Amino acid sequence: MIQHTLAMGAAAVLLLAVPVSAQQNQSSPTQRNSVTELEDGSILAHDIQGTYLFADWDEYLASPFFMRNGKRCGIDALNMPPSVAFIGSQSDCTNSVTVPNPGYDPSGSAAVVYDIPVVFHVLYSNNGTGNIPDARIFEQVAILNADFAALTNSKIQFHLATIDPSGNATTGITRHRSKSWYNDRGSYASTIGWDTTRYLNIYTNTAGGNLGYAYLPNGGGVVGSDFDGVRLLWRAVGYTNYSPYDLGRTGTHEVGHYLGLQHTFQGGCGTSNCYASGDLCCDTNPESSPNYSACSSTERATCGSPDPVRNFMDYSEDACMDHFSLDQSLRMRCTLENWRVNLTTWENGGGGGGGGTAPDQVAGGTPSSGATDVAASTTLSWASANGATQYDVYFGSSTNPPLVSSNQSGTSYDPGTLADGTTYYWRVDSENANGVTGGSSWSFTTAAGGGGGGGGGGVIFADGFESGTFANWSRQNNDARVGTNSLTGTYAAELRKSTAIATSVSTGATEVTVSWAWRTSGYDSGERLQATITGGAGGPQVVSYSSTSWGSESVTLTGVSGAVEITFDTNANRKNERGYVDDVLVQ
């Protein structure tokens, strides 16, 4: 009989008193531990130290079990096929050496743009858990394109496949209901996977309890095999409420492995021959152990030099990661040239994944980068990029801003009323049928107290929830909380399931404008986040929203004679269906 005893700690778990030998159902990719989601959403995890029951994925990810077993990425636990001998240029990027051949340099004028067709296989449980919406997948592809163009532009980009293996039109997304496949068991890859020489197959499920895992191709026996591809924990796909793994960087990290990159801490501090030890890249400083935390002003230096904690191939929290190095770009391009040779050349019948040209980079951003005293009511704009048919806009107060508008045809974006005295960061990626070109990172700072052209001088009430509490609000129940999935700053309101928050603002004015930012996650058809603004002569103003991207909204009330009442509520029915509200402003 299994007996339950409560083990209290920072994240309480139920310890199941059951012999290790009784646990025979081990999940891939590792045989030393297993992680399974049960029907009620709880997580059963087992390793050599015991068996644990976690209330949900949030508790599991915060647990010592997750850290102890290295579940940030599962590549180290994979049972890799034996290497086979190769000759020729494949030797420029094997699992033991990198040769930084300048021919792979993406900055060269003749450097080809590699465009990789991607198919997402959404594997969800019998009760529907894990059946993520298309919007999350679109976000993840946009994140990949932005990250692979960040700082050192690798000229590697991604698009959802438009042609399936039989030559038929496709959305690049498949869906399969199976409790076993959802828990990363069974032969799903050989059953539903597409030709791994021609597609990047990404499977979303529980990823064996890891945030993700992938197979290195640079030793032979991987490319063309059924198991080749990337597995992602479905909760970490795209922009999510799954802090600190909420910006899609798990996908970037695992695709880095898929293209031949190793962890920055691989092999510890390595030797003086940095192209044949450590992570095989000389421009990523050696690191003796992974960084699990956020970036801080005090740099780690585990091998005598600053650790590369901002590199996509460390274990840092998503908000800390922001680049690949040049040597890593060379290695990935070498992998595409010599190991994944059919991946980018077939779908549109031409080299570089398409026989066409990606658009120029966006230029001429307004406000200009570095501008100060910018009005809080400013609108972002930019010059048309040659060859672009649409644009993705990233905007926020973090140096790695979130996607706020995707696939728009216009060359401007209204972020709504901004906070006074705040620095904002933004960029615009240009797109066409042949690919995405990442934009430059720009920033500007708004005027303090409404100076420099105004827009903020008449602020009556402002709350970005940066106190970490609902100090200015009442809440319906404990499903309303302050979380870290924010548009600007650190915090935002997080409304789980069906709940509401409300506040009353005394204005002393006859006309006021109420503005805010909001987004949702996991909503099904008919579920929405709703704002109700009352106090004007025209009666209640009701606005609904269900997009997974941050959007801005405003309502102007006339004939105000007293207080303005602001309510945000949701009608979702599950804890993992959430609405977010940030930057509420009355002026």
Side-chain angles (χ1 to χ4, degrees):
M1 177 145 204
I2 298 178
Q3 298 182 344
H4 302 253
T5 58
L6 187 63
M8 301 301 294
V13 301
L14 289 173
L15 174 62
L16 308 185
V18 59
V20 172
S21 59
Q23 298 293 321
Q24 299 296 328
N25 190 15
Q26 304 295 317
S27 66
S28 64
T30 172
Q31 294 302 308
R32 69 172 184 260
N33 53 62
S34 64
V35 179
T36 303
E37 180 175 320
L38 304 180
E39 290 296 332
D40 63 357
S42 60
I43 310 301
L44 182 67
H46 169 77
D47 64 9
I48 60 174
Q49 296 191 23
T51 303
Y52 305 84
L53 184 65
F54 301 95
D56 52 28
W57 283 96
D58 291 311
E59 191 172 272
Y60 165 76
L61 286 182
S63 71
F65 180 99
F66 177 78
M67 297 288 188
R68 180 172 70 241
N69 288 289
K71 291 294 190 176
R72 179 66 168 90
C73 171
I75 190 171
D76 291 338
L78 299 175
N79 182 18
M80 301 298 291
S83 297
V84 298
F86 284 97
I87 59 173
S89 56
Q90 284 185 333
S91 62
D92 288 347
C93 48
T94 69
N95 282 338
S96 58
V97 69
T98 296
V99 177
N101 188 324
Y104 304 126
D105 192 336
S107 64
S109 58
V112 68
V113 175
Y114 295 106
D115 195 0
I116 298 174
V118 184
V119 54
F120 274 80
H121 303 287
V122 179
L123 312 182
Y124 60 98
S125 189
N126 292 343
N127 62 7
T129 302
N131 193 13
I132 58 177
D134 288 355
R136 291 265 299 279
I137 294 171
F138 299 154
E139 289 175 353
Q140 185 63 65
V141 174
I143 291 165
L144 289 174
N145 283 318
D147 287 352
F148 278 77
L151 297 185
T152 301
N153 190 339
S154 65
K155 291 188 179 176
I156 299 171
Q157 57 194 31
F158 306 84
H159 69 278
L160 286 171
T162 59
I163 304 169
D164 72 11
S166 299
N168 300 314
T170 179
T171 63
I173 301 172
T174 76
R175 297 179 183 277
H176 306 274
R177 179 179 176 181
S178 167
K179 180 179 179 181
S180 175
W181 292 1
Y182 171 73
N183 276 304
D184 203 33
R185 297 187 173 96
S187 56
Y188 60 80
S190 61
T191 303
I192 63 171
W194 293 9
D195 184 349
T196 59
T197 66
R198 301 193 300 162
Y199 299 90
L200 163 53
N201 286 260
I202 297 180
Y203 302 89
T204 69
N205 57 8
T206 64
N210 302 282
L211 285 175
Y213 65 91
Y215 293 87
L216 291 169
N218 310 70
V222 172
V223 178
S225 64
D226 290 336
F227 56 79
D228 191 13
V230 168
R231 276 73 172 168
L232 298 178
L233 176 63
W234 66 273
R235 294 172 178 266
V237 175
Y239 294 109
T240 73
N241 53 13
Y242 223 52
S243 179
Y245 310 114
D246 53 357
L247 299 178
R249 296 283 146 67
T250 297
T252 303
H253 179 103
E254 299 306 334
V255 173
H257 286 316
Y258 174 85
L259 295 177
L261 298 186
Q262 304 198 25
H263 290 136
T264 53
F265 50 86
Q266 184 78 22
C269 295
T271 69
S272 58
N273 186 356
C274 48
Y275 284 124
S277 67
D279 71 342
L280 312 178
C281 293
C282 286
D283 58 359
T284 57
N285 287 345
E287 183 179 28
S288 68
S289 61
N291 174 57
Y292 274 99
S293 62
C295 296
S296 67
S297 57
T298 303
E299 294 188 50
R300 295 172 89 231
T302 57
C303 294
S305 56
D307 288 354
V309 297
R310 291 189 176 275
N311 193 280
F312 290 129
M313 301 312 294
D314 206 339
Y315 273 6
S316 304
E317 296 179 357
D318 277 18
C320 181
M321 296 176 166
D322 63 16
H323 74 283
F324 294 112
S325 71
L326 177 58
D327 279 350
Q328 287 175 321
S329 292
L330 298 180
R331 186 172 170 83
M332 289 190 290
R333 290 175 65 83
C334 174
T335 299
L336 287 168
E337 283 282 351
N338 302 300
W339 295 91
R340 297 196 178 278
V341 295
N342 295 315
L343 187 61
T344 65
T345 60
W346 75 273
E347 191 176 47
N348 294 305
T357 303
D360 289 349
Q361 188 178 62
V362 166
T366 302
S368 60
S369 189
T372 58
D373 290 333
V374 173
S377 58
T378 193
T379 296
L380 313 179
S381 63
W382 56 93
S384 298
N386 183 45
T389 58
Q390 56 194 24
Y391 303 93
D392 289 340
V393 182
Y394 296 77
F395 177 81
S397 61
S398 67
T399 56
N400 231 349
L403 177 70
V404 294
S405 178
S406 61
N407 302 330
Q408 70 168 61
S409 58
T411 57
S412 65
Y413 173 76
D414 183 359
T417 303
L418 305 177
D420 294 334
T422 301
T423 298
Y424 291 94
Y425 300 84
W426 64 297
R427 81 164 194 274
V428 180
D429 294 352
S430 53
E431 302 180 35
N432 65 21
N434 298 304
V436 179
T437 300
S440 298
S441 179
W442 297 323
S443 66
F444 63 86
T445 303
T446 53
V459 174
I460 300 169
F461 171 87
D463 194 352
F465 305 95
E466 292 307 298
S467 67
T469 68
F470 284 118
N472 300 313
W473 302 77
S474 61
R475 57 177 178 167
Q476 186 178 79
N477 53 46
N478 288 336
D479 285 325
R481 60 186 69 189
V482 175
T484 57
N485 195 308
S486 61
L487 174 62
T488 63
T490 303
Y491 298 106
E494 179 180 294
L495 309 183
R496 303 185 178 197
K497 297 173 59 177
S498 178
T499 189
I501 59 173
T503 191
S504 177
V505 180
S506 298
T507 64
T510 59
E511 181 175 327
V512 298
T513 297
V514 182
S515 62
W516 64 92
W518 53 358
R519 68 177 289 260
T520 70
S521 175
Y523 280 12
D524 300 319
S525 177
E527 295 177 333
R528 86 293 179 272
L529 179 60
Q530 181 171 278
T532 304
I533 316 297
T534 62
Q541 304 294 306
V542 180
V543 185
S544 295
Y545 195 68
S546 59
S547 173
T548 57
S549 298
W550 280 104
S552 298
E553 190 64 68
S554 65
V555 169
T556 298
L557 303 181
T558 59
V560 178
S561 59
V564 171
E565 307 290 335
I566 306 170
T567 301
F568 294 98
D569 72 274
T570 72
N571 67 346
N573 59 15
R574 293 184 297 177
K575 186 171 65 174
N576 64 343
E577 296 171 334
R578 305 177 187 183
Y580 303 91
V581 179
D582 203 0
D583 298 339
V584 181
L585 188 68
V586 181
Q587 59 182 357

